[in-house]
Amino acid sequence: MKYMLVGVLFALFGLVVCRPEDQYTNKYDNIDIEEIIKSDRLINSYFKCLMTGEGCTPDGAELRKILPDAIHSGCSKCSRKHKDVSKRMINHLIKNKPELWKQLEEKFDPQATYRTKYKDELEKEGFKGFKTN
């Protein structure tokens, strides 16, 4: 679940509110994930929002609100775009910000329930070295 957690988390950058079709909104699909990845300030801002609820932008606050549902459901309400953005952010956090990744994982999946649940699926999608400990 290690990768799915933040994948879901940042896939939700582009979604945030449920639509009648039982999908997260595409209202934020134009967010430039590369701009966020290149900016420690933006990453830290979203991280603080997710961890504490402080300093949230409207999209960050919605992300924080729906993240538990998205993790629980395997991002079933996410679009392909949301999932692609999530994968990009997950890879970045794991490779470049492992201390932030670990804290997010401890907060949103402390028993490694989802990390274990999604292990096989994530490995099929190319996340190598995935650990369930």
Coordinates of all heavy atoms in Angstrom, one line a residue, residues 17-110:
V17 N -13.9 16.5 -5.1 CA -15.3 16.4 -4.8 C -16.1 15.4 -5.6 O -15.8 15.2 -6.8 CB -16.0 17.8 -5.0 CG1 -17.4 17.8 -4.5 CG2 -15.3 18.9 -4.3
C18 N -17.0 14.6 -5.0 CA -17.7 13.6 -5.7 C -18.7 14.2 -6.7 O -19.4 15.1 -6.3 CB -18.4 12.6 -4.8 SG -17.3 11.6 -3.8
R19 N -18.8 13.6 -7.9 CA -19.8 14.0 -8.8 C -20.9 13.0 -8.8 O -20.8 11.9 -8.2 CB -19.2 14.0 -10.3 CG -18.1 15.0 -10.4 CD -17.7 15.1 -11.8 NE -17.5 13.9 -12.6 CZ -16.8 13.8 -13.7 NH1 -16.2 14.8 -14.2 NH2 -16.6 12.7 -14.3
P20 N -22.0 13.3 -9.4 CA -23.2 12.4 -9.4 C -22.8 11.0 -9.9 O -23.4 10.0 -9.5 CB -24.2 13.1 -10.3 CG -23.8 14.5 -10.2 CD -22.3 14.6 -10.0
E21 N -21.9 11.0 -10.9 CA -21.5 9.7 -11.5 C -20.6 8.9 -10.5 O -20.1 7.8 -10.9 CB -20.7 9.9 -12.8 CG -21.4 10.7 -13.8 CD -21.1 12.2 -13.7 OE1 -19.9 12.5 -13.5 OE2 -22.0 13.0 -13.8
D22 N -20.6 9.3 -9.3 CA -19.8 8.6 -8.2 C -18.3 8.6 -8.6 O -17.6 7.6 -8.4 CB -20.3 7.2 -8.0 CG -20.0 6.7 -6.6 OD1 -19.8 7.6 -5.7 OD2 -19.9 5.5 -6.4
Q23 N -17.8 9.7 -9.2 CA -16.4 9.9 -9.5 C -16.0 11.2 -8.9 O -16.8 12.1 -8.7 CB -16.2 10.0 -11.0 CG -16.3 8.7 -11.7 CD -15.0 8.4 -12.4 OE1 -14.5 9.2 -13.2 NE2 -14.4 7.2 -12.1
Y24 N -14.7 11.2 -8.5 CA -14.2 12.5 -8.0 C -14.2 13.5 -9.2 O -14.0 13.2 -10.3 CB -12.8 12.3 -7.5 CG -12.7 11.3 -6.3 CD1 -12.0 10.2 -6.4 CD2 -13.4 11.6 -5.1 CE1 -11.9 9.3 -5.4 CE2 -13.3 10.7 -4.1 CZ -12.6 9.5 -4.2 OH -12.5 8.6 -3.2
T25 N -14.3 14.8 -8.8 CA -14.3 15.8 -9.8 C -13.1 15.9 -10.6 O -12.0 15.6 -10.1 CB -14.7 17.2 -9.2 OG1 -14.9 18.1 -10.2 CG2 -13.6 17.6 -8.3
N26 N -13.2 16.4 -11.8 CA -12.0 16.7 -12.7 C -11.7 18.2 -12.6 O -10.9 18.7 -13.4 CB -12.3 16.3 -14.1 CG -13.4 17.0 -14.7 OD1 -14.1 17.9 -14.2 ND2 -13.7 16.6 -16.0
K27 N -12.2 18.9 -11.6 CA -12.1 20.3 -11.5 C -10.6 20.7 -11.4 O -10.2 21.8 -11.9 CB -12.8 20.8 -10.2 CG -12.7 22.3 -9.9 CD -13.6 22.6 -8.7 CE -13.5 24.0 -8.3 NZ -14.3 24.4 -7.2
Y28 N -9.8 19.9 -10.8 CA -8.4 20.2 -10.6 C -7.4 19.4 -11.6 O -6.2 19.3 -11.3 CB -7.9 20.0 -9.2 CG -8.7 20.9 -8.2 CD1 -9.7 20.3 -7.5 CD2 -8.5 22.2 -8.1 CE1 -10.5 21.1 -6.6 CE2 -9.2 23.0 -7.3 CZ -10.2 22.5 -6.5 OH -11.0 23.3 -5.7
D29 N -8.0 18.9 -12.7 CA -7.1 18.1 -13.6 C -6.0 18.9 -14.2 O -5.1 18.3 -14.8 CB -8.0 17.5 -14.7 CG -8.6 16.2 -14.2 OD1 -8.4 15.8 -13.0 OD2 -9.3 15.5 -15.0
N30 N -6.1 20.2 -14.3 CA -5.1 21.0 -14.9 C -4.0 21.4 -14.0 O -3.1 22.2 -14.4 CB -5.7 22.3 -15.5 CG -6.7 21.9 -16.7 OD1 -6.4 21.0 -17.4 ND2 -7.8 22.6 -16.8
I31 N -3.9 20.9 -12.8 CA -2.8 21.2 -11.9 C -1.6 20.6 -12.5 O -1.5 19.5 -13.0 CB -3.1 20.5 -10.5 CG1 -4.2 21.3 -9.8 CG2 -1.8 20.5 -9.7 CD1 -4.5 20.7 -8.4
D32 N -0.5 21.4 -12.5 CA 0.8 21.0 -13.1 C 1.6 20.2 -12.0 O 2.2 20.8 -11.2 CB 1.5 22.2 -13.6 CG 2.8 21.9 -14.3 OD1 3.2 20.7 -14.3 OD2 3.4 22.8 -14.8
I33 N 1.5 18.9 -12.1 CA 2.2 18.0 -11.1 C 3.7 18.3 -11.2 O 4.4 18.2 -10.2 CB 1.8 16.6 -11.3 CG1 2.3 15.7 -10.1 CG2 2.4 16.0 -12.6 CD1 1.6 16.1 -8.8
E34 N 4.2 18.5 -12.3 CA 5.7 18.8 -12.4 C 6.1 20.0 -11.7 O 7.2 20.1 -11.1 CB 6.1 18.9 -13.9 CG 6.0 17.5 -14.7 CD 6.7 16.4 -14.0 OE1 7.8 16.5 -13.5 OE2 6.1 15.3 -14.0
E35 N 5.3 21.0 -11.7 CA 5.5 22.3 -11.0 C 5.6 22.0 -9.5 O 6.4 22.5 -8.7 CB 4.5 23.3 -11.3 CG 4.7 24.6 -10.5 CD 3.6 25.7 -10.8 OE1 2.8 25.5 -11.7 OE2 3.5 26.6 -10.0
I36 N 4.6 21.2 -9.0 CA 4.6 20.8 -7.6 C 5.8 20.0 -7.2 O 6.5 20.3 -6.2 CB 3.3 20.0 -7.3 CG1 2.1 20.9 -7.5 CG2 3.3 19.5 -5.9 CD1 0.8 20.2 -7.5
I37 N 6.2 19.0 -8.1 CA 7.3 18.2 -7.8 C 8.6 19.0 -7.7 O 9.5 18.7 -6.9 CB 7.4 17.1 -8.8 CG1 6.4 16.0 -8.6 CG2 8.8 16.5 -8.9 CD1 6.2 15.0 -9.6
K38 N 8.7 20.0 -8.5 CA 10.0 20.8 -8.5 C 10.0 21.8 -7.4 O 11.1 22.5 -7.2 CB 10.0 21.6 -9.9 CG 10.3 20.7 -11.1 CD 10.3 21.6 -12.3 CE 10.4 20.7 -13.6 NZ 10.2 21.4 -14.8
S39 N 9.0 22.0 -6.6 CA 8.9 23.0 -5.6 C 8.8 22.4 -4.2 O 7.8 21.9 -3.8 CB 7.7 23.9 -5.8 OG 7.5 24.8 -4.7
D40 N 9.9 22.5 -3.4 CA 9.8 22.0 -2.0 C 8.8 22.8 -1.3 O 8.1 22.2 -0.4 CB 11.2 22.2 -1.4 CG 12.2 21.2 -1.8 OD1 11.8 20.1 -2.3 OD2 13.4 21.4 -1.5
R41 N 8.6 24.1 -1.6 CA 7.6 24.9 -0.9 C 6.2 24.3 -1.1 O 5.4 24.1 -0.2 CB 7.6 26.3 -1.4 CG 6.6 27.2 -0.7 CD 6.6 28.6 -1.3 NE 6.2 28.6 -2.7 CZ 4.9 28.5 -3.1 NH1 3.9 28.4 -2.2 NH2 4.6 28.5 -4.4
L42 N 5.8 23.9 -2.4 CA 4.5 23.4 -2.6 C 4.3 22.0 -2.0 O 3.3 21.7 -1.4 CB 4.3 23.3 -4.1 CG 4.1 24.7 -4.8 CD1 4.0 24.5 -6.4 CD2 2.8 25.4 -4.3
I43 N 5.4 21.2 -2.1 CA 5.3 19.8 -1.5 C 5.1 19.9 0.0 O 4.2 19.3 0.5 CB 6.5 19.0 -1.9 CG1 6.5 18.5 -3.4 CG2 6.6 17.7 -1.0 CD1 7.7 17.8 -3.8
N44 N 5.9 20.8 0.6 CA 5.7 21.0 2.0 C 4.4 21.5 2.4 O 3.9 21.2 3.5 CB 6.9 21.8 2.6 CG 8.2 21.1 2.5 OD1 8.3 19.9 2.6 ND2 9.3 21.8 2.4
S45 N 3.8 22.4 1.6 CA 2.5 23.0 1.9 C 1.4 21.9 1.9 O 0.6 21.8 2.8 CB 2.2 24.1 0.9 OG 0.9 24.6 1.1
Y46 N 1.4 21.1 0.8 CA 0.5 20.0 0.7 C 0.7 19.0 1.9 O -0.3 18.5 2.5 CB 0.5 19.3 -0.6 CG -0.2 20.0 -1.7 CD1 0.4 20.7 -2.7 CD2 -1.6 20.0 -1.7 CE1 -0.3 21.4 -3.7 CE2 -2.3 20.6 -2.7 CZ -1.7 21.3 -3.7 OH -2.4 22.0 -4.7
F47 N 1.9 18.7 2.2 CA 2.2 17.8 3.2 C 1.7 18.3 4.6 O 1.0 17.5 5.3 CB 3.8 17.6 3.3 CG 4.2 16.7 4.5 CD1 4.1 15.3 4.4 CD2 4.7 17.3 5.6 CE1 4.5 14.5 5.5 CE2 5.1 16.5 6.7 CZ 5.0 15.1 6.6
K48 N 1.9 19.5 4.9 CA 1.4 20.1 6.1 C -0.1 20.0 6.2 O -0.7 19.7 7.2 CB 1.9 21.6 6.3 CG 1.4 22.2 7.6 CD 2.0 23.6 7.6 CE 1.5 24.3 8.9 NZ 1.9 25.7 9.0
C49 N -0.7 20.4 5.1 CA -2.2 20.3 5.0 C -2.7 18.9 5.3 O -3.6 18.7 6.1 CB -2.7 20.7 3.6 SG -4.4 20.5 3.3
L50 N -2.1 17.9 4.6 CA -2.5 16.5 4.8 C -2.3 16.0 6.2 O -3.1 15.3 6.8 CB -1.8 15.6 3.8 CG -2.2 15.8 2.4 CD1 -1.3 15.0 1.4 CD2 -3.7 15.4 2.2
M51 N -1.2 16.4 6.8 CA -0.8 15.9 8.1 C -1.6 16.6 9.3 O -1.9 16.0 10.2 CB 0.7 16.1 8.4 CG 1.5 15.2 7.5 SD 1.3 13.4 7.7 CE 2.1 13.2 9.3
T52 N -1.8 17.9 9.1 CA -2.4 18.7 10.2 C -3.7 19.4 9.9 O -4.4 19.9 10.8 CB -1.4 19.8 10.7 OG1 -1.2 20.8 9.7 CG2 0.0 19.2 11.0
G53 N -4.0 19.6 8.6 CA -5.1 20.4 8.3 C -4.9 21.9 8.3 O -5.8 22.6 8.0
E54 N -3.7 22.3 8.5 CA -3.3 23.7 8.6 C -2.8 24.2 7.2 O -2.1 23.5 6.5 CB -2.2 23.9 9.6 CG -2.7 23.6 11.0 CD -1.6 23.7 12.1 OE1 -0.5 24.4 11.8 OE2 -1.7 23.2 13.2
G55 N -3.2 25.4 6.9 CA -2.6 26.1 5.7 C -3.1 25.4 4.4 O -2.4 25.6 3.4
C56 N -4.3 24.8 4.4 CA -4.8 24.1 3.2 C -5.3 25.1 2.2 O -6.1 26.0 2.6 CB -5.9 23.1 3.6 SG -5.3 21.7 4.6
T57 N -5.0 24.8 1.0 CA -5.7 25.5 -0.1 C -7.0 24.8 -0.3 O -7.2 23.7 0.3 CB -4.9 25.3 -1.4 OG1 -4.7 23.9 -1.7 CG2 -3.5 26.0 -1.3
P58 N -8.0 25.3 -1.1 CA -9.2 24.6 -1.2 C -9.1 23.1 -1.8 O -9.7 22.2 -1.3 CB -10.0 25.4 -2.2 CG -9.5 26.8 -2.0 CD -8.0 26.6 -1.7
D59 N -8.2 23.0 -2.8 CA -8.0 21.6 -3.3 C -7.3 20.7 -2.3 O -7.6 19.5 -2.1 CB -7.2 21.6 -4.6 CG -5.9 22.3 -4.5 OD1 -5.7 23.3 -3.9 OD2 -4.9 21.7 -5.1
G60 N -6.3 21.3 -1.5 CA -5.7 20.5 -0.4 C -6.6 20.1 0.7 O -6.6 18.9 1.2
A61 N -7.6 21.0 1.0 CA -8.6 20.6 2.1 C -9.5 19.5 1.6 O -9.8 18.6 2.4 CB -9.4 21.9 2.4
E62 N -9.9 19.6 0.3 CA -10.7 18.5 -0.2 C -10.0 17.2 -0.3 O -10.5 16.1 0.0 CB -11.3 18.9 -1.6 CG -12.5 19.8 -1.5 CD -13.7 19.2 -0.8 OE1 -14.0 18.0 -1.1 OE2 -14.4 19.9 -0.1
L63 N -8.7 17.3 -0.7 CA -7.9 16.1 -0.8 C -7.8 15.4 0.6 O -8.0 14.2 0.7 CB -6.5 16.5 -1.3 CG -5.4 15.4 -1.3 CD1 -5.8 14.2 -2.1 CD2 -4.1 16.0 -1.7
R64 N -7.5 16.2 1.6 CA -7.4 15.7 2.9 C -8.8 15.0 3.4 O -8.8 14.0 4.1 CB -7.1 16.8 3.9 CG -6.8 16.4 5.3 CD -6.2 17.5 6.1 NE -5.6 17.0 7.3 CZ -6.3 16.9 8.5 NH1 -7.5 17.2 8.6 NH2 -5.6 16.5 9.6
K65 N -9.9 15.6 3.0 CA -11.2 15.1 3.4 C -11.5 13.8 2.7 O -12.0 12.9 3.3 CB -12.2 16.1 3.0 CG -13.6 15.7 3.4 CD -14.6 16.9 3.2 CE -15.2 16.8 1.8 NZ -16.2 17.8 1.5
I66 N -11.2 13.6 1.4 CA -11.5 12.4 0.7 C -10.5 11.3 0.7 O -10.7 10.2 0.3 CB -12.0 12.7 -0.7 CG1 -10.9 13.3 -1.6 CG2 -13.2 13.6 -0.7 CD1 -11.3 13.4 -3.0
L67 N -9.3 11.7 1.1 CA -8.2 10.7 1.1 C -8.5 9.4 1.7 O -8.2 8.3 1.1 CB -6.9 11.3 1.7 CG -5.7 10.4 1.6 CD1 -5.3 10.0 0.2 CD2 -4.5 11.1 2.2
P68 N -9.0 9.3 2.9 CA -9.3 8.0 3.5 C -10.2 7.2 2.7 O -10.0 5.9 2.5 CB -10.0 8.4 4.9 CG -9.4 9.7 5.2 CD -9.3 10.4 3.9
D69 N -11.3 7.8 2.0 CA -12.2 7.0 1.2 C -11.4 6.5 -0.1 O -11.6 5.3 -0.5 CB -13.3 7.9 0.7 CG -14.2 7.1 -0.3 OD1 -14.8 6.1 0.1 OD2 -14.2 7.6 -1.5
A70 N -10.6 7.3 -0.6 CA -9.8 6.9 -1.8 C -8.9 5.8 -1.5 O -8.7 4.8 -2.3 CB -9.1 8.1 -2.4
I71 N -8.2 5.8 -0.4 CA -7.3 4.8 0.0 C -8.1 3.5 0.2 O -7.7 2.4 -0.2 CB -6.5 5.2 1.3 CG1 -5.5 6.3 0.9 CG2 -5.7 4.0 1.8 CD1 -4.9 6.9 2.2
H72 N -9.2 3.6 1.0 CA -10.0 2.4 1.3 C -10.5 1.8 0.0 O -10.6 0.5 0.0 CB -11.1 2.9 2.2 CG -12.0 1.7 2.6 ND1 -11.7 0.7 3.5 CD2 -13.3 1.5 2.1 CE1 -12.7 -0.1 3.6 NE2 -13.7 0.3 2.8
S73 N -10.9 2.6 -0.9 CA -11.6 2.0 -2.1 C -10.6 1.7 -3.3 O -11.0 1.3 -4.3 CB -12.6 3.0 -2.7 OG -12.0 4.1 -3.2
G74 N -9.3 1.9 -3.0 CA -8.4 1.6 -4.1 C -8.5 2.6 -5.2 O -8.2 2.3 -6.4
C75 N -8.9 3.8 -4.9 CA -9.1 4.9 -5.8 C -10.1 4.6 -6.9 O -9.9 4.9 -8.1 CB -7.7 5.3 -6.5 SG -7.6 7.1 -6.9
S76 N -11.1 3.9 -6.5 CA -12.1 3.4 -7.5 C -12.9 4.6 -8.1 O -13.5 4.4 -9.2 CB -13.1 2.5 -6.8 OG -13.9 3.1 -5.8
K77 N -12.9 5.7 -7.5 CA -13.6 6.9 -8.1 C -12.6 7.8 -8.8 O -13.0 8.9 -9.3 CB -14.3 7.7 -6.9 CG -15.3 7.0 -6.2 CD -15.9 7.8 -5.1 CE -16.8 7.0 -4.2 NZ -17.3 7.7 -3.1
C78 N -11.4 7.4 -9.0 CA -10.3 8.2 -9.7 C -10.4 7.9 -11.2 O -10.6 6.8 -11.6 CB -9.0 7.8 -9.2 SG -8.7 8.1 -7.4
S79 N -10.1 8.9 -11.9 CA -9.9 8.8 -13.4 C -8.5 8.3 -13.7 O -7.7 8.3 -12.8 CB -10.2 10.2 -14.0 OG -9.1 11.0 -13.7
R80 N -8.3 8.0 -14.9 CA -7.0 7.5 -15.4 C -6.0 8.6 -15.1 O -4.9 8.4 -14.7 CB -7.0 7.2 -16.9 CG -5.7 6.9 -17.5 CD -4.9 5.6 -17.2 NE -5.3 4.8 -16.1 CZ -4.5 4.2 -15.2 NH1 -3.2 4.3 -15.4 NH2 -4.9 3.4 -14.3
K81 N -6.4 9.9 -15.4 CA -5.5 11.0 -15.2 C -5.1 11.1 -13.7 O -3.9 11.3 -13.3 CB -6.2 12.3 -15.6 CG -5.5 13.6 -15.1 CD -4.9 14.3 -16.2 CE -4.3 15.6 -15.7 NZ -3.3 16.2 -16.5
H82 N -6.0 11.0 -12.8 CA -5.7 11.0 -11.4 C -4.7 9.9 -11.0 O -3.8 10.2 -10.2 CB -7.0 10.8 -10.5 CG -8.1 11.9 -10.8 ND1 -9.4 11.6 -10.9 CD2 -8.0 13.2 -11.1 CE1 -10.1 12.6 -11.2 NE2 -9.2 13.6 -11.3
K83 N -4.9 8.8 -11.5 CA -4.0 7.7 -11.2 C -2.6 7.9 -11.7 O -1.6 7.6 -11.1 CB -4.6 6.3 -11.7 CG -5.8 5.9 -10.9 CD -6.4 4.6 -11.5 CE -7.7 4.3 -10.7 NZ -8.3 3.0 -11.2
D84 N -2.5 8.5 -12.9 CA -1.2 8.8 -13.5 C -0.5 9.8 -12.7 O 0.7 9.7 -12.4 CB -1.4 9.2 -15.0 CG -1.8 8.1 -15.9 OD1 -1.7 6.9 -15.5 OD2 -2.3 8.5 -17.0
V85 N -1.2 10.9 -12.3 CA -0.6 11.9 -11.4 C -0.2 11.3 -10.1 O 0.9 11.6 -9.6 CB -1.6 13.1 -11.2 CG1 -1.2 14.0 -10.1 CG2 -1.9 13.8 -12.5
S86 N -1.0 10.4 -9.6 CA -0.6 9.8 -8.3 C 0.7 9.0 -8.4 O 1.6 9.1 -7.6 CB -1.7 8.8 -7.9 OG -2.9 9.5 -7.6
K87 N 0.8 8.2 -9.5 CA 2.0 7.4 -9.7 C 3.3 8.3 -9.8 O 4.3 8.0 -9.2 CB 1.9 6.6 -10.9 CG 0.9 5.5 -10.8 CD 0.8 4.7 -12.1 CE -0.4 3.8 -12.1 NZ -0.6 3.2 -13.4
R88 N 3.1 9.4 -10.5 CA 4.2 10.4 -10.6 C 4.6 10.9 -9.3 O 5.8 11.0 -9.0 CB 3.8 11.5 -11.6 CG 4.9 12.5 -11.8 CD 6.0 11.9 -12.7 NE 7.0 13.0 -12.8 CZ 8.2 13.1 -12.2 NH1 8.5 12.1 -11.3 NH2 9.0 14.1 -12.4
M89 N 3.7 11.4 -8.5 CA 4.0 11.9 -7.2 C 4.5 10.9 -6.2 O 5.5 11.2 -5.5 CB 2.7 12.6 -6.6 CG 3.0 13.3 -5.3 SD 4.4 14.5 -5.2 CE 3.6 15.8 -6.1
I90 N 4.0 9.7 -6.3 CA 4.5 8.6 -5.4 C 5.9 8.4 -5.7 O 6.8 8.3 -4.8 CB 3.7 7.3 -5.6 CG1 2.3 7.5 -5.1 CG2 4.4 6.2 -5.0 CD1 1.3 6.4 -5.5
N91 N 6.3 8.2 -6.9 CA 7.6 7.9 -7.3 C 8.6 9.0 -6.8 O 9.6 8.8 -6.3 CB 7.8 7.7 -8.8 CG 7.3 6.4 -9.3 OD1 7.5 5.4 -8.6 ND2 6.7 6.3 -10.4
H92 N 8.1 10.2 -7.0 CA 8.9 11.4 -6.5 C 9.2 11.3 -5.0 O 10.3 11.5 -4.5 CB 8.3 12.7 -7.0 CG 9.1 13.9 -6.5 ND1 10.3 14.2 -7.0 CD2 8.9 14.7 -5.4 CE1 10.8 15.3 -6.3 NE2 9.9 15.6 -5.4
L93 N 8.1 11.2 -4.3 CA 8.2 11.2 -2.8 C 9.1 10.0 -2.3 O 10.0 10.2 -1.5 CB 6.8 11.1 -2.2 CG 6.0 12.3 -2.3 CD1 4.6 12.0 -1.7 CD2 6.6 13.5 -1.6
I94 N 8.9 8.8 -2.8 CA 9.7 7.7 -2.4 C 11.2 7.9 -2.7 O 12.0 7.6 -1.9 CB 9.1 6.4 -3.0 CG1 7.8 6.1 -2.4 CG2 10.1 5.2 -2.8 CD1 7.0 5.0 -3.0
K95 N 11.5 8.4 -3.9 CA 12.9 8.5 -4.3 C 13.5 9.8 -3.7 O 14.7 9.7 -3.4 CB 13.0 8.6 -5.8 CG 12.7 7.3 -6.5 CD 12.7 7.5 -8.0 CE 12.3 6.2 -8.7 NZ 12.3 6.3 -10.1
N96 N 12.8 10.9 -3.5 CA 13.4 12.1 -3.2 C 13.0 12.7 -1.8 O 13.7 13.6 -1.3 CB 13.1 13.2 -4.3 CG 13.6 12.7 -5.6 OD1 14.8 12.6 -5.8 ND2 12.7 12.5 -6.5
K97 N 11.9 12.2 -1.3 CA 11.4 12.7 0.0 C 10.9 11.6 0.9 O 9.8 11.5 1.4 CB 10.2 13.7 -0.2 CG 10.5 14.8 -1.1 CD 11.3 15.9 -0.4 CE 11.4 17.1 -1.3 NZ 12.3 18.0 -0.8
P98 N 11.8 10.6 1.1 CA 11.4 9.4 1.9 C 10.9 9.7 3.3 O 10.0 9.0 3.8 CB 12.6 8.5 1.9 CG 13.7 9.4 1.6 CD 13.2 10.5 0.7
E99 N 11.4 10.8 3.9 CA 11.0 11.1 5.2 C 9.5 11.6 5.2 O 8.8 11.3 6.2 CB 11.9 12.1 5.9 CG 11.9 13.5 5.2 CD 12.6 13.7 3.8 OE1 13.2 12.8 3.4 OE2 12.4 14.7 3.2
L100 N 9.1 12.3 4.2 CA 7.7 12.8 4.1 C 6.8 11.6 3.8 O 5.8 11.4 4.4 CB 7.6 13.8 3.0 CG 8.3 15.1 3.2 CD1 8.0 16.1 2.1 CD2 8.0 15.8 4.5
W101 N 7.3 10.7 2.9 CA 6.5 9.5 2.5 C 6.3 8.7 3.8 O 5.1 8.2 4.0 CB 7.3 8.7 1.5 CG 6.6 7.4 1.2 CD1 7.0 6.2 1.6 CD2 5.4 7.3 0.5 NE1 6.1 5.3 1.1 CE2 5.1 5.9 0.5 CE3 4.5 8.2 -0.1 CZ2 3.9 5.4 -0.1 CZ3 3.4 7.7 -0.8 CH2 3.1 6.3 -0.7
K102 N 7.3 8.5 4.6 CA 7.1 7.6 5.8 C 6.1 8.2 6.7 O 5.2 7.5 7.3 CB 8.5 7.5 6.5 CG 8.4 6.5 7.6 CD 9.7 6.3 8.3 CE 9.5 5.4 9.4 NZ 10.6 5.2 10.3
Q103 N 6.1 9.5 6.9 CA 5.1 10.1 7.8 C 3.7 10.0 7.3 O 2.8 9.8 8.0 CB 5.5 11.6 8.0 CG 6.8 11.8 8.9 CD 7.2 13.2 9.0 OE1 6.4 14.0 9.5 NE2 8.4 13.6 8.5
L104 N 3.6 10.2 6.0 CA 2.2 10.1 5.3 C 1.7 8.7 5.5 O 0.6 8.4 5.8 CB 2.3 10.5 3.9 CG 2.4 11.9 3.6 CD1 2.8 12.2 2.1 CD2 1.2 12.7 3.9
E105 N 2.6 7.7 5.3 CA 2.2 6.3 5.4 C 1.8 6.0 6.9 O 0.8 5.3 7.1 CB 3.4 5.5 5.0 CG 3.0 4.0 4.8 CD 4.1 3.2 4.2 OE1 5.3 3.5 4.4 OE2 3.8 2.3 3.4
E106 N 2.6 6.5 7.8 CA 2.3 6.3 9.2 C 0.9 6.9 9.6 O 0.2 6.3 10.4 CB 3.4 6.8 10.1 CG 4.7 5.9 10.0 CD 5.8 6.6 10.8 OE1 5.7 7.7 11.3 OE2 6.9 5.9 10.8
K107 N 0.6 8.0 9.0 CA -0.6 8.7 9.4 C -1.8 8.0 8.7 O -2.9 7.7 9.3 CB -0.6 10.1 9.0 CG -2.0 10.8 9.2 CD -1.9 12.3 9.0 CE -3.2 13.0 9.3 NZ -3.5 13.1 10.7
F108 N -1.7 7.7 7.4 CA -2.9 7.2 6.7 C -3.0 5.6 6.5 O -4.0 5.1 6.1 CB -2.9 7.8 5.3 CG -3.2 9.3 5.3 CD1 -2.2 10.2 5.3 CD2 -4.5 9.7 5.5 CE1 -2.5 11.6 5.4 CE2 -4.8 11.1 5.6 CZ -3.8 12.0 5.5
D109 N -1.9 4.9 6.9 CA -1.9 3.5 6.9 C -1.0 2.9 8.0 O -0.1 2.1 7.7 CB -1.5 3.0 5.5 CG -1.7 1.5 5.3 OD1 -2.6 0.9 6.0 OD2 -1.1 0.9 4.4
P110 N -1.3 3.2 9.2 CA -0.4 2.8 10.3 C -0.3 1.3 10.5 O 0.8 0.9 11.0 CB -1.0 3.5 11.6 CG -2.4 3.7 11.2 CD -2.5 4.0 9.7

